[in-house]
């Protein structure tokens, strides 16, 4: 009995290690996009990923044909939404200010942080919907079910986020120099 249990645990660990080896990079990138942290300095994203993978490992034997990547992505999204709720009071109430190391123009001190800097302008809910829909390719219906929102609301949030990204707010108008007649 002990040998059989030890063999099952070893097989489970090998299967999970193979899954993590294949999926951790993409999941970490998704978590980094969600948290709007620079790719080289992303402690919140790494913590989110660690917790999501720990939950996936704990339920590994109960997956029974389900996609483990889908389960890990769901946990990542749920944990991000819960953390954003606690951090900002509500998932979409306020727009967090970008951190000093990430500039809005994308020319921050960290190379490759342009896409993350742009996402920092969005609310956590807009980032979550946009990453699930556009980066992960999750359907509107599945995103709505995961977040507990109507499909129309997910569609509106995604459209608003895309508008914010494609048409950033303009800065102040340039001042005109006065010409004094001579």
């Amino acid at each position: 009995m002990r040998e059989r249990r030890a063999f099952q645990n070893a097989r489970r660990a090998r299967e999970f290690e193979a899954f993590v080896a294949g999926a951790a990079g993409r999941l970490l990138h998704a978590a980094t996009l969600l948290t709007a942290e620079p790719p080289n300095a992303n402690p919140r994203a790494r913590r989110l990923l660690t917790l999501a993978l720990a939950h996936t490992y704990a339920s590994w034997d109960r997956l029974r044909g389900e996609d483990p990547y889908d389960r890990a992505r769901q946990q990542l999204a749920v944990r991000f939404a819960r953390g954003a709720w606690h951090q900002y009071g509500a998932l979409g109430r306020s727009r967090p200010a970008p951190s000093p190391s990430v500039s809005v123009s994308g020319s921050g001190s960290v190379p490759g942080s342009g896409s993350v800097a742009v996402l920092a302008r969005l609310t956590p809910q807009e980032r979550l919907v946009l990453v699930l829909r556009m980066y992960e390719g999750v359907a509107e219906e599945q995103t709505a079910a995961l977040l507990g929102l109507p499909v129309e609301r997910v569609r509106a949030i995604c459209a608003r986020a895309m508008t914010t990204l494609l048409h950033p707010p303009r800065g102040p108008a340039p001042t005109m120099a006065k010409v004094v007649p001579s």
Side-chain angles (χ1 to χ4, degrees):
M1 180 71 177
R2 280 186 180 160
E3 293 173 6
R4 186 172 134 200
R5 184 73 172 159
F7 177 75
Q8 288 174 342
N9 287 340
R11 181 182 52 84
R12 174 185 181 194
R14 279 193 312 271
E15 287 175 356
F16 186 74
E17 286 174 8
F19 163 70
V20 170
R26 184 168 173 89
L27 286 170
L28 179 61
H29 188 67
T32 303
L33 292 174
L34 286 173
T35 58
E37 294 175 315
N40 298 334
N42 53 3
R44 284 185 54 221
R46 289 178 186 274
R47 176 136 174 87
L48 270 174
L49 178 61
T50 301
L51 293 171
L53 288 176
H55 186 274
T56 304
Y57 182 72
S59 62
W60 190 259
D61 290 333
R62 293 177 298 218
L63 288 178
R64 306 226 193 280
E66 284 185 56
D67 183 15
Y69 184 85
D70 187 42
R71 177 69 65 94
R73 181 180 55 215
Q74 286 176 357
Q75 276 301 310
L76 194 68
V78 167
R79 287 188 181 276
F80 174 76
R82 188 177 301 132
W85 179 272
H86 289 293
Q87 185 174 4
Y88 300 112
L91 193 55
R93 270 196 201 150
S94 64
R95 294 179 189 269
S99 63
S101 64
V102 179
S103 70
V104 175
S105 64
S107 61
S109 61
V110 179
S113 64
S115 63
V116 174
V118 171
L119 288 174
R121 286 185 271 172
L122 301 175
T123 64
Q125 187 178 44
E126 289 171 341
R127 271 194 313 250
L128 180 57
V129 169
L130 195 70
V131 168
L132 286 174
R133 292 278 300 122
M134 300 301 155
Y135 180 71
E136 289 291 326
V138 179
E140 285 179 347
E141 294 81 14
Q142 291 175 327
T143 303
L146 178 63
L147 301 178
L149 297 171
V151 176
E152 295 80 21
R153 181 79 179 130
V154 169
R155 190 176 298 125
I157 291 169
C158 189
R160 184 176 62 232
M162 289 298 293
T163 301
T164 302
L165 292 180
L166 295 175
H167 306 289
R170 294 184 182 173
T175 58
M176 299 294 291
K178 291 188 178 183
V179 180
V180 179
S182 48

